[in-house]
Amino acid sequence: MSSIARHMPVTATKGACGSIGAVRILFVSESFLPHMNGVTNSVLRVADHFAATGDDLGIIAPQWPGAQKHLRTSCGRRVRVHRVASAPMPGYADVRIATTSATTLRRRIDDFQPDVIHLASPMILGGRAVIAAQKAGVPTVAVYQTDIPGYTARYGMPFLESASWQLLRDVHNRATVNLAPSLATRDEMREHGIERVDLWRRGVDTSLFTPSLHSSQLRAQYARPEEKLVVYMGRLAAEKQVSDLKVIHDMPGVRLLIVGDGPEKEALRRAMPRARFAGFRSGTDLAAHLASADLFIHPGEHETFGQSLQEAMASGLPVIAPRRGGPVDLISPSRTGWLYTPGMLDEMRDRASDLLFDDAKRRAFGRAATDSVRKRTWPVLAEQLRGYYLQAIEQSQRVGAAH
């Protein structure tokens, strides 16, 4: 899932902090700063909102060399980040695998005394945390965000897909409430035996991602005046299938702009020598790169939501993605963009040509895309999440009263 997230403090909610103590929320995040991905970004956004509305917050995350132990939110509050032992994942050092025990996590939970625990994309760390939470009698809300089973095939380990689903099933079925980011992902979770699954999508910062940041000067750095500019934004990793964009790279009159970084960068440079590589971008610089392009394409087939698609839509771009997972919810075909059959790259290219060489159609799609995400702000989505927290707390109290 995932987008190039902003290195914050975040700005989802502005203004003075509210009164302290409404709900005590402990986030247990499988990944966190300084590694920026969709999981980290979601935690930062909702934590920023809850800090501003007066909730008490704590965060448990994997240790990282030089990682900060506090997060300063946009309203000036400092949130403690408890770092737990971890080791780099073999072959992808940017991902840390927590090695701490459930017993240690139980002590952290007892120290903080949360009303609810938010498990962000739980797998190893989240799996131990949900066991510790059960023993402590604390309700949990588990947010499914990363298609680990799908990733195993991309990394040459398809034999681990079944085992990954078994692990996810064990983790999520211990949680009080489970949240899926899209209808397709919700259905897939249910098909694999995960229970108590509701829907919780993601917000988009429409004050940051906006068509008004279009820059002719920035655009001229990447494309000639007669060229159309197609942008991809996200991690440059195998599961994102960025190499599929070679069919766009080879289109006459089209320039491909790749925004992001990751282990596949040099291989992609060799495969697509005409492409422009902007590297990691953040904040208004990132938003301007999106707004200055003509079309956004994300070829990854394992997106549980598609945050980068949503940010591109807010920036005024029509979007194209495979007809699988989160993009199916986000894209309205023939109105805000196009979906193509996974693996059918000729279809992707034809859909791109349909929009790139019809200026009126492309602009109409872009306007519709922006309108479609205008109300999906992080404060709105965070308050929906609060409702799930309260639901989990009430369920836990009912179970406790029954015993």
Side-chain angles (χ1 to χ4, degrees):
M1 90 72 215
S2 336
S3 67
I4 300 293
R6 273 72 42 211
H7 202 131
M8 314 210 200
V10 288
T11 55
T13 306
K14 299 179 180 178
C17 297
S19 58
I20 305 300
V23 181
R24 291 182 66 80
I25 307 162
L26 179 62
F27 294 90
V28 178
S29 188
E30 209 75 26
S31 62
F32 198 61
L33 294 173
H35 183 54
M36 296 302 303
N37 58 19
V39 176
T40 303
N41 187 52
S42 293
V43 172
L44 291 173
R45 292 291 179 178
V46 296
D48 194 68
H49 176 80
F50 293 136
T53 53
D55 299 290
D56 284 341
L57 310 178
I59 298 171
I60 295 176
Q63 180 60 271
W64 195 288
Q68 295 182 350
K69 294 186 177 180
H70 288 89
L71 171 70
R72 185 171 292 279
T73 67
S74 62
C75 72
R77 284 188 50 195
R78 281 161 54 91
V79 177
R80 175 71 186 276
V81 182
H82 297 277
R83 297 288 179 170
V84 297
S86 69
M89 186 175 85
Y92 200 164
D94 283 348
V95 176
R96 306 288 295 194
I97 305 298
T99 58
T100 193
S101 67
T103 301
T104 299
L105 292 170
R106 171 67 189 273
R107 287 197 295 267
R108 296 288 192 189
I109 292 169
D110 290 343
D111 288 344
F112 187 73
Q113 296 189 331
D115 297 313
V116 65
I117 296 175
H118 174 126
L119 303 171
S121 196
M123 193 75 175
I124 306 301
L125 177 59
R128 292 170 185 153
V130 75
I131 292 171
Q134 279 186 314
K135 292 179 178 177
V138 179
T140 49
V141 174
V143 180
Y144 183 92
Q145 195 156 344
T146 307
D147 182 11
I148 297 295
Y151 286 5
T152 57
R154 289 290 162 189
Y155 281 93
M157 298 177 289
F159 53 90
L160 291 179
E161 182 175 4
S162 178
S164 297
W165 274 117
Q166 179 63 55
L167 177 56
L168 287 168
R169 186 161 50 247
D170 290 346
V171 172
H172 281 275
N173 283 345
R174 290 178 180 271
T176 314
V177 171
N178 291 299
L179 299 178
S182 64
L183 291 170
T185 303
R186 182 197 65 185
D187 293 346
E188 186 176 31
M189 292 171 70
R190 290 175 173 174
E191 287 168 7
H192 283 89
I194 296 175
E195 303 166 353
R196 301 179 299 281
V197 186
D198 287 309
L199 188 66
W200 180 64
R201 294 187 169 92
R202 304 293 180 269
V204 61
D205 187 347
T206 53
S207 65
L208 175 63
F209 294 98
T210 167
S212 66
L213 288 180
H214 175 91
S215 168
S216 298
Q217 183 178 4
L218 178 63
R219 180 190 173 89
Q221 295 177 23
Y222 299 111
R224 296 193 297 268
E226 69 275 13
E227 291 178 321
K228 301 301 183 185
L229 188 60
V230 176
V231 63
Y232 163 86
M233 179 264 285
R235 285 200 316 280
L236 308 186
E239 70 272 13
K240 300 300 181 181
Q241 299 172 245
V242 187
S243 60
D244 286 357
L245 293 174
K246 181 71 162 58
V247 297
I248 305 299
H249 167 273
D250 294 343
M251 290 175 67
V254 174
R255 186 69 66 173
L256 179 62
L257 172 61
I258 296 176
V259 181
D261 205 349
E264 298 273 293
K265 179 173 67 175
E266 293 309 317
L268 292 168
R269 281 186 183 276
R270 291 191 295 270
M272 296 182 284
R274 289 185 57 255
R276 300 287 190 253
F277 287 78
F280 178 85
R281 301 284 170 161
S282 61
T284 54
D285 183 29
L286 170 63
H289 275 73
L290 289 178
S292 301
D294 296 302
L295 175 67
F296 183 90
I297 303 180
H298 195 304
E301 296 172 16
H302 301 286
E303 297 302 298
T304 59
F305 181 70
Q307 182 65 10
S308 60
L309 290 167
Q310 192 167 240
E311 291 167 348
M313 295 166 81
S315 302
L317 300 187
V319 294
I320 296 176
R323 191 182 295 104
R324 186 181 187 277
V328 176
D329 283 7
L330 289 175
I331 298 173
S332 177
S334 194
R335 192 174 76 87
T336 64
W338 289 112
L339 297 164
Y340 65 91
T341 307
M344 300 294 291
L345 303 188
D346 288 349
E347 186 181 347
M348 177 218 284
R349 183 192 59 213
D350 291 346
R351 293 303 194 188
S353 181
D354 172 69
L355 291 171
L356 289 172
F357 303 112
D358 186 334
D359 292 347
K361 185 174 188 177
R362 185 180 66 255
R363 289 168 185 152
F365 274 45
R367 288 191 296 271
T370 301
D371 288 343
S372 73
V373 300
R374 199 178 302 278
K375 294 181 180 179
R376 298 180 190 168
T377 65
W378 275 112
V380 169
L381 272 294
E383 285 305 310
Q384 289 179 2
L385 180 59
R386 183 193 299 279
Y388 287 119
Y389 291 163
L390 297 177
Q391 176 184 323
I393 292 169
E394 290 170 4
Q395 286 181 211
S396 179
Q397 289 173 343
R398 285 198 300 269
V399 170
H403 288 83

